[in-house]
Amino acid sequence: MNSSTHDTEFDYIVVGAGSAGCVLANRLSASPNVSVLLLEAGKDAEPFWVRTPAGVGNLFFNERLNWKFFTEPEANLGDRQVYWPRGKILGGSSSINGMVYVRGFASDYDRWQAQGNPGWAWSDVLPYFKRAEHNDYGASESRGVGGPLHVSFPHRQHPTTEAFVRAGAAVGLTRHDDVVAGGDAEGVGYLQHTIGEGRRWSSAHAYVRPVRQRTNLAIESEAVVTRLHLDGRCVVGVEYIRRGQSRTIRARREVILSAGAIGSPHLLMLSGIGPPDHLQEMGVRVRHALPGVGCNLQDHLAINACYEVRKDASLNAALSGWHKYLNGVDYLLHRRGPLAIGASHAVAFVCSSTSIKVPDIQLSFRPLSFAFDSKNKLRMHTFAGVQFASAMLRPRSRGQILLRSPNPFDAPVIHANYLTDPDDMRVMVATLEWTRRLAATAPLADMVVREYLPGENVRSASEVVEFIRRSSQTLFHPAGTCKMGSDSLAVVDERLRVRGIENLRVVDASVMPTIVSGNTNAPTIMIAEKASDMILEDARS
């Protein structure tokens, strides 16, 4: 723990110190009359490659900091098991992600409200986005300053990134200075990142580091929560194992699950809350039948395209050979240069067809290219290259999380069910068409030497579909498995209380009824900001 306390009771127990859990620990413990325990299965650490923005590649397969989940074989992706990295460290996936800051569209949140979730419209959530931010864009109607989370543009943009943005404008996209402010229109512009002072600004760094000496906040790392303790339909505490020792802690007010779209439904089912037939099949006593637990799984499927470009049009050389050591010294001395920037540098939001009114494709661009070798080590391509990560934003396909066994240390079963809805393949084909269109448009086209991936041998409709099936990957945004709503599959209500259970909430990306149109880290932080107010309001009432 971060203090000498050995209390067996706390007012609030937060399970999972990821993007949401760290926010809750900060905001709930701001009241000196409230005691908070934050439990994290991973390490309480911030090693060099976590702090350093360009260290993402070193975290991607790091089993000490990463759960390293895999889906089950995906029938529509050539029976491949898709790798799903998730953070196992204080800060959760915000400590290992690409640091891209995207909120989604205003219509995403208006849709949540229309689905039976009052209080979650864009006008309701915008103040919480602003409260979280310290944005170098400056204060405005849509942007905030003074919040814990540093959000910034890189100190310098690469000329090839500017060429991508100008190519987008050339094909008719509106160039936005603030492309992710919350509008619903097609557009192109530079991306911001959760980076401050040249370092990753994870939720742990933003929300926990400044307050970890509060006497009413205890942090227990390497603590795997194995089940919830229930007294009838009321949650009264949790059981966890740390370094082989089991411990039970009681919650005087609430237990809050913030273990993510995989971990939160997994723990509910281990505790007997979930689809009754599945629980009985697994030998778990049914404490409360809630059929939607683990259902409604959504994720952003993406394809990566790579182009060889002129030697001066890529960062590959700067990140390879002796150049990378020079840039390393520059970073250590000044916190700048290629090691101080996030994964993707610019973005275009586009529509898959003229009948679509709100963009359903995200084209992220980076002025560098790489691949992982057979030992899962990131290697820059030996040629000068650039990459697109092109994603379908609002998939119609739905997956499910299930128990593998009653053993809490067995990874859950993940059925992503990618491309089970035929329209999703249409959108994926359109993502590649858009990528090729931008790469063939000046001034970006003037820099391109050749298409490396998919390559010139992927042209016909059948070849494109086959490429998507064998090459597409997750964009690492699982959501929706404890959906908010009032229908038969809803797990939590609009105040994120688990339906039919007292003193239990879920606060993380799993509560999204439909996935947002963009990266999920900023929306997850927003959800926790809003939840903290609701929790304290309910306590006062």
Side-chain angles (χ1 to χ4, degrees):
M1 291 187 176
N2 68 324
S3 65
S4 59
T5 180
H6 293 285
D7 291 351
T8 58
E9 285 192 351
F10 292 83
D11 291 311
Y12 297 102
I13 300 173
V14 180
V15 179
S19 298
C22 289
V23 177
L24 293 170
N26 178 304
R27 298 305 190 188
L28 297 178
S29 66
S31 172
N33 299 320
V34 168
S35 61
V36 179
L37 172 63
L38 179 62
L39 295 172
E40 168 55 39
K43 294 182 178 298
D44 183 357
E46 197 177 27
F48 176 78
W49 288 120
V50 168
R51 298 193 303 271
T52 306
V56 173
N58 294 302
L59 309 173
F60 200 68
F61 290 99
N62 188 328
E63 62 185 16
R64 293 175 301 170
L65 310 176
N66 194 322
W67 287 103
K68 296 181 64 176
F69 291 121
F70 282 87
T71 70
E72 297 302 293
E74 288 290 317
N76 296 305
L77 299 183
D79 285 329
R80 289 185 293 126
Q81 291 186 270
V82 180
Y83 177 53
W84 279 21
R86 307 306 297 162
K88 186 171 65 172
I89 182 176
L90 207 71
S93 293
S94 76
S95 291
I96 69 167
N97 67 6
M99 296 152 288
V100 173
Y101 184 88
V102 175
R103 292 172 165 179
F105 298 140
S107 58
D108 293 328
Y109 303 99
D110 292 340
R111 187 179 305 112
W112 289 5
Q113 175 155 287
Q115 291 171 337
N117 298 293
W120 288 91
W122 174 246
S123 59
D124 299 309
V125 302
L126 177 59
Y128 292 103
F129 277 115
K130 294 175 66 176
R131 183 170 87 172
E133 292 180 355
H134 182 64
N135 198 307
D136 71 357
Y137 193 83
S140 69
E141 291 184 1
S142 61
R143 291 301 186 185
V145 295
L149 186 69
H150 282 226
V151 180
S152 64
F153 290 104
H155 73 280
R156 184 177 67 86
Q157 297 289 358
H158 194 276
T160 311
T161 307
E162 172 64 18
F164 165 82
V165 174
R166 289 171 59 194
V171 301
L173 302 176
T174 301
R175 178 170 183 165
H176 294 288
D177 290 336
D178 192 0
V179 72
V180 298
D184 285 356
E186 288 189 310
V188 64
Y190 291 121
L191 281 167
Q192 288 186 302
H193 305 96
T194 50
I195 295 174
E197 301 167 5
R199 65 178 296 157
R200 176 192 293 272
W201 222 262
S202 69
S203 60
H205 192 79
Y207 284 91
V208 172
R209 177 186 55 88
V211 303
R212 63 183 306 142
Q213 296 308 315
R214 286 176 178 168
T215 56
N216 62 332
L217 172 62
I219 302 168
E220 189 85 69
S221 60
E222 301 178 69
V224 178
V225 178
T226 55
R227 68 186 179 99
L228 305 173
H229 273 280
L230 286 92
D231 182 0
R233 294 290 177 88
C234 180
V235 170
V236 296
V238 303
E239 181 180 295
Y240 66 91
I241 294 176
R242 184 173 191 265
R243 298 176 182 173
Q245 299 297 312
S246 179
R247 191 175 187 204
T248 299
I249 303 289
R250 294 183 63 85
R252 286 186 286 263
R253 296 186 180 181
E254 292 188 21
V255 172
I256 306 156
L257 301 187
S258 295
I262 301 171
S264 287
H266 188 222
L267 184 55
L268 285 173
M269 288 186 282
L270 288 170
S271 305
I273 302 170
D277 291 347
H278 174 60
L279 297 182
Q280 290 171 349
E281 180 187 355
M282 290 289 105
V284 175
R285 176 189 172 193
V286 179
R287 304 298 299 268
H288 178 52
L290 206 54
V293 172
C295 296
N296 193 48
L297 174 61
Q298 299 155 67
D299 183 37
H300 290 143
L301 189 65
I303 51 175
N304 289 310
C306 178
Y307 290 83
E308 183 179 357
V309 294
R310 297 191 322 241
K311 288 186 178 180
D312 61 344
S314 171
L315 283 170
N316 283 12
L319 295 169
S320 304
W322 60 269
H323 292 95
K324 69 181 179 183
Y325 297 108
L326 288 180
N327 283 304
V329 171
D330 188 30
Y331 176 76
L332 291 172
L333 292 175
H334 306 293
R335 295 274 178 84
R336 67 185 185 192
L339 270 67
I341 55 180
S344 296
H345 301 192
V347 68
F349 292 104
V350 301
C351 295
S352 62
S353 74
T354 55
S355 64
I356 302 296
K357 302 305 179 186
V358 177
D360 56 349
I361 293 173
Q362 176 177 332
L363 306 172
S364 299
F365 178 82
R366 55 179 74 106
L368 52 90
S369 67
F370 59 85
F372 287 92
D373 65 18
S374 60
K375 297 181 179 179
N376 292 329
K377 298 291 186 183
L378 185 146
R379 305 294 184 194
M380 306 305 299
H381 285 140
T382 55
F383 56 83
V386 300
Q387 284 179 328
F388 292 76
S390 306
M392 167 178 55
L393 289 178
R394 290 189 296 282
R396 297 186 182 186
S397 303
R398 296 291 184 269
Q400 189 174 13
I401 303 290
L402 295 168
L403 292 177
R404 191 172 301 276
S405 79
N407 185 343
F409 291 92
D410 285 346
V413 174
I414 302 172
H415 292 290
N417 294 343
Y418 292 119
L419 303 178
T420 49
D421 189 295
D423 192 66
D424 287 352
M425 179 58 84
R426 178 193 64 80
V427 179
M428 291 300 292
V429 170
T431 66
L432 182 56
E433 292 171 347
W434 263 105
T435 297
R436 284 174 158 168
R437 182 181 179 186
L438 290 176
T441 301
L444 185 57
D446 299 333
M447 300 176 175
V448 171
V449 174
R450 65 177 175 122
E451 182 179 285
Y452 176 75
L453 189 72
E456 294 300 322
N457 62 331
V458 178
R459 287 294 165 186
S460 70
S462 61
E463 289 167 345
V464 168
V465 167
E466 177 58 25
F467 172 76
I468 290 168
R469 293 194 188 280
R470 73 170 187 267
S471 302
S472 53
Q473 297 289 340
T474 174
L475 206 61
F476 323 117
H477 300 157
T481 49
C482 297
K483 68 172 283 190
M484 170 173 50
S486 56
D487 61 274
S488 61
L489 291 181
V491 175
V492 299
D493 64 13
E494 74 276 6
R495 296 186 76 78
L496 308 187
R497 298 171 296 202
V498 174
R499 291 189 169 277
I501 297 288
E502 295 180 32
N503 301 343
L504 179 64
R505 294 187 210 232
V506 181
V507 180
D508 54 36
S510 72
V511 305
M512 296 182 183
T514 49
I515 194 169
V516 295
S517 303
N519 303 62
T520 51
N521 180 243
T524 300
I525 290 171
M526 175 279 294
I527 288 169
E529 285 277 10
K530 181 172 169 59
S532 67
D533 275 3
M534 293 190 294
I535 292 166
L536 294 173
E537 287 167 6
D538 289 351
R540 287 192 293 269
S541 65

